[in-house]
Amino acid sequence: MKIAVSNQTRNTVLADSAEVADTSEKRRTGLLKHDHLAPGQGLWIVPCESVHSFFMKFAIDLVYLNREKKVRKVRSRMVPWRLSACLTAHSILELPAGVVEATGTQAGDQLVIEELSPTAP
């Protein structure tokens, strides 16, 4: 499933073609098989309150969300071989490094997540 993510508070777009990791297998794999994230891409991990970047090949931005998709915490440019957590989060949005800064996203902002309709083959 693909989603679009916008920051309603700041009227900005964080991702226009993000994936959803909503199964145990997808959450375990995360971005480990990727060698980069292109602009507009991302991964929404649901449910999730902590992530690691062990074995990753690139830095990412993290946006921690509560159940209402309100931003609880942000972490910019987390490099490989790190851990990050927010125990009050329900899900985490992983984005290309620099998106949080470029959009001004911060704790307290309200995000909107919309499912994109699948395109016909």
Side-chain angles (χ1 to χ4, degrees), residues 14-39:
L14 281 75
D16 56 19
S17 182
E19 297 283 341
V20 178
D22 56 357
T23 67
S24 179
E25 181 181 349
K26 289 179 184 177
R27 287 191 298 271
R28 261 193 321 274
T29 304
L31 296 174
L32 291 176
K33 294 181 180 179
H34 293 72
D35 55 9
H36 75 286
L37 277 178

Side-chain angles (χ1 to χ4, degrees), residues 93-109:
L93 182 62
E94 297 182 336
L95 299 164
V99 171
V100 165
E101 183 181 348
T103 59
T105 300
Q106 58 188 355
D109 288 359

Side-chain angles (χ1 to χ4, degrees), residues 61-64 71-76 84 100 105-107:
D61 283 356
L62 302 173
V63 180
Y64 293 87
V71 177
R72 302 291 297 157
K73 172 183 171 179
V74 296
R75 179 161 182 190
S76 297
S84 185
V100 165
T105 300
Q106 58 188 355

Side-chain angles (χ1 to χ4, degrees), residues 5-119:
V5 184
S6 59
N7 184 329
Q8 186 176 31
T9 306
R10 313 231 171 253
N11 197 28
T12 57
V13 175
L14 281 75
D16 56 19
S17 182
E19 297 283 341
V20 178
D22 56 357
T23 67
S24 179
E25 181 181 349
K26 289 179 184 177
R27 287 191 298 271
R28 261 193 321 274
T29 304
L31 296 174
L32 291 176
K33 294 181 180 179
H34 293 72
D35 55 9
H36 75 286
L37 277 178
Q41 292 183 329
L43 181 68
W44 184 35
I45 308 171
V46 184
C48 188
E49 60 189 25
S50 66
V51 293
H52 69 80
S53 60
F54 303 148
F55 305 103
M56 286 190 57
K57 300 170 185 81
F58 56 98
I60 56 174
D61 283 356
L62 302 173
V63 180
Y64 293 87
L65 305 172
N66 67 11
R67 290 181 186 273
E68 291 75 36
K69 298 173 190 66
K70 186 169 273 199
V71 177
R72 302 291 297 157
K73 172 183 171 179
V74 296
R75 179 161 182 190
S76 297
R77 301 180 191 278
M78 185 173 85
V79 297
W81 299 99
R82 299 292 187 271
L83 293 168
S84 185
C86 177
L87 299 180
T88 60
H90 175 257
S91 62
I92 302 174
L93 182 62
E94 297 182 336
L95 299 164
V99 171
V100 165
E101 183 181 348
T103 59
T105 300
Q106 58 188 355
D109 288 359
Q110 181 66 54
L111 301 192
V112 175
I113 298 176
E114 299 175 289
E115 184 177 341
L116 300 175
S117 50
T119 55

